[in-house]
Amino acid sequence: MSITQRSTGSARPRIVVLGGGFGGLYAARALRTAVADVTVIDRTNHHLFQPLLYQVATAVLAPSDIGSPIRHLLRTQRNTTVLMAEVGEIDVARRVVLVDDGREVPYDYLIVATGSRHSYFNHPEWEAMAPGLKSIEDARLIRHRFLSAFELAEKSDDVAERAALMTFVIVGGGPTGVELAGIIPDITRHSFAADFRRIDTGRTRIILVEAGSRLLPAFPDTLSRRAKRDLEELGVEIRLGSPVTNVTADSVSIGDERVATKNVFWAAGNAASPLVRTLGAPVDRAGRAQVLSDLSIPDHPEVFVVGDAAEMKRDDGSLVPGVAQGAIQSGRVAAKNILRLLAGEQTQAFHYFNKGDLATIGRYKAVASFPGFTVAGRLAWWFWLFLHILYLAGFRNRLSVLIEWGYSYFTYQRGARLITN
């Protein structure tokens, strides 16, 4: 007997949502009125607000500030069951999802919102030296290395070793890379300044590497140049058009340049979850399912793929960016299309609405691109603060983050500077 049959004993349509991120959560919420049994499966028990992961990685916020239990967020939906399980395979022929030790969860309709992981461009061995930033575990690892670097430098008597420990190389000039590079100078010059006796944390070296010709390629060129200027004013060294060619435990090669460092953080490239390939649908180079206009996959109108797991296109043929809004909107559309199918109606095409792109660079430094206009500087910074608070899941998280940000703003101190295993 399957998990769903055993837990519900119902003959109602079975809708399974894989993933509790933005796409999966908003899809599940859109199914709250469905006369069906909805099952949400995720390998963790929490929904994560990924845009603020870099603040967990740099000890500004605690993991609990940006995560909320999926069960709690969906607690009022009587038709929804949440399972914490690892999905190993999707059998579209039999319409079952295989989890954990081979147990099966059958479905009549399926939404795949399994997101993506960082891609190392055919160099998976680099991951051990250059962690990416997609999960709470990633953020805790980077925070451990970030904080430990200064502790090790404080007790070192070797000048070269100190310099390598206090050199941070961030690979990738998208929003995550830019925001990570922009926050480190504020921390090292202010938060750490009075805490160490044998090192000058203000002399920390930050290098941001981007293989392309400009930072923030999804933003207008004027904002890309503004972001570059703001980062350089903070002392960040920018390397454009310079791909990383090698990463070791004590160095990174940027083109022909070798930089001695013990801290490389990866914010370049994404690859869809390997689970997508088990659907048997065509995929692009990043492993994303090439979905039809209504987000279903060819030959299987009951299977929908959303968010970073799908290659979704805008009306002009360009790709939908891998941002939270794309996942939220596609998750809602997939859910509504299932409701239409249940009602015997035709599905509708997905149309992405760009609500704007934002990236913060430092205190009072940010860039924002909205349909029809752009903003930079202090006003963009306030936009960024307001919208991130607005989209956090749960009142407790909003209040906690607001308090932490206020504390950091007025005192320049960080509230989560603990080094743990």
Side-chain angles (χ1 to χ4, degrees):
M1 184 178 291
S2 71
I3 292 176
T4 303
Q5 289 171 332
R6 183 171 60 247
S7 61
T8 66
S10 171
R12 299 197 305 176
R14 299 159 299 187
I15 305 171
V16 173
V17 179
L18 302 184
F22 286 110
L25 177 65
Y26 280 81
R29 284 176 167 173
L31 292 167
R32 64 187 178 276
T33 61
V35 183
D37 294 321
V38 180
T39 302
V40 178
I41 305 176
D42 195 286
R43 62 183 176 184
T44 71
N45 76 331
H46 55 269
H47 166 75
L48 181 63
F49 192 79
Q50 282 194 343
L52 291 180
L53 261 181
Y54 79 98
Q55 296 208 2
V56 175
T58 51
V60 177
L61 299 174
S64 58
D65 291 333
I66 64 168
S68 299
I70 300 171
R71 294 182 186 280
H72 179 72
L73 296 175
L74 299 176
R75 67 192 183 280
T76 61
Q77 296 188 200
R78 305 306 301 172
N79 67 343
T80 303
T81 298
V82 178
L83 297 178
M84 179 178 166
E86 184 82 29
V87 177
E89 185 182 350
I90 303 168
D91 189 335
V92 293
R94 297 175 52 230
R95 295 193 180 187
V96 295
V97 173
L98 280 68
V99 301
D100 295 333
D101 55 357
R103 290 178 295 172
E104 298 179 348
V105 180
Y107 65 83
D108 297 299
Y109 300 95
L110 177 68
I111 297 177
V112 180
T114 47
S116 64
R117 289 290 290 169
H118 24 266
S119 170
Y120 290 87
F121 308 111
N122 297 318
H123 287 281
E125 70 277 9
W126 291 354
E127 184 170 9
M129 286 80 71
L133 195 54
K134 290 288 187 182
S135 68
I136 287 290
E137 290 73 24
D138 294 336
R140 292 179 65 186
L141 173 60
I142 290 178
R143 183 180 68 182
H144 185 279
R145 294 190 181 187
F146 176 65
L147 297 176
S148 296
F150 295 96
E151 298 294 341
L152 293 171
E154 176 82 348
K155 68 180 182 182
S156 175
D157 295 319
D158 186 288
V159 174
E161 182 183 38
R162 278 186 175 182
L165 284 165
M166 294 174 62
T167 296
F168 294 85
V169 177
I170 299 162
V171 184
T176 299
V178 166
E179 291 176 341
L180 193 56
I183 200 172
I184 292 177
D186 185 56
I187 294 171
T188 56
R189 293 176 187 174
H190 300 286
S191 302
F192 290 178
D195 293 1
F196 294 88
R197 299 292 178 265
R198 304 183 70 227
I199 58 173
D200 179 2
T201 59
R203 301 184 66 177
T204 299
R205 186 183 184 194
I206 303 109
I207 303 173
L208 178 60
V209 183
E210 168 55 44
S213 60
R214 64 188 181 97
L215 301 177
L216 301 174
F219 287 67
D221 186 59
T222 53
L223 294 184
S224 295
R225 293 198 302 269
R226 175 64 180 263
K228 182 176 183 290
R229 188 194 76 187
D230 287 347
L231 285 170
E232 288 174 337
E233 288 179 355
L234 291 171
V236 178
E237 301 174 34
I238 310 292
R239 303 281 196 277
L240 295 178
S242 304
V244 168
T245 54
N246 193 30
V247 180
T248 68
D250 56 9
S251 71
V252 60
S253 296
I254 307 169
D256 296 328
E257 178 188 9
R258 180 183 179 276
V259 177
T261 176
K262 295 185 181 295
N263 307 289
V264 182
F265 301 145
W266 199 266
N270 291 304
S273 164
L275 194 63
V276 173
R277 294 186 182 274
T278 70
L279 292 170
V283 298
D284 64 7
R285 290 192 302 174
R288 296 172 297 191
Q290 295 178 321
V291 295
L292 302 178
S293 62
D294 65 354
L295 303 179
S296 66
I297 62 173
D299 302 321
H300 288 279
E302 77 283 358
V303 177
F304 297 83
V305 187
V306 304
D308 289 349
E311 183 193 66
M312 302 180 294
K313 294 185 178 180
R314 307 189 202 201
D315 294 341
D316 62 3
S318 63
L319 294 181
V320 173
V323 296
Q325 277 302 320
I328 290 171
Q329 292 178 37
S330 60
R332 285 172 171 165
V333 168
K336 290 178 180 178
N337 276 335
I338 290 176
L339 293 176
R340 291 187 180 97
L341 290 173
L342 290 173
E345 301 172 359
Q346 291 291 320
T347 59
Q348 294 185 0
F350 169 65
H351 300 283
Y352 176 67
F353 175 65
N354 182 14
K355 295 185 177 181
D357 299 304
L358 298 100
T360 182
I361 299 154
R363 182 174 293 226
Y364 293 137
K365 297 178 185 294
V367 292
S369 174
F370 298 105
F373 70 100
T374 61
V375 184
R378 189 182 295 256
L379 180 58
W381 188 72
W382 284 110
F383 266 127
W384 183 92
L385 288 176
F386 172 76
L387 289 175
H388 280 68
I389 288 289
L390 180 67
Y391 277 99
L392 271 168
F395 175 77
R396 178 206 167 276
N397 286 31
R398 296 189 190 105
L399 181 61
S400 177
V401 169
L402 193 60
I403 291 172
E404 285 291 348
W405 280 351
Y407 174 76
S408 298
Y409 179 82
F410 289 109
T411 68
Y412 283 97
Q413 296 303 306
R414 312 295 168 179
R417 284 171 50 188
L418 302 180
I419 298 176
T420 58
N421 291 329

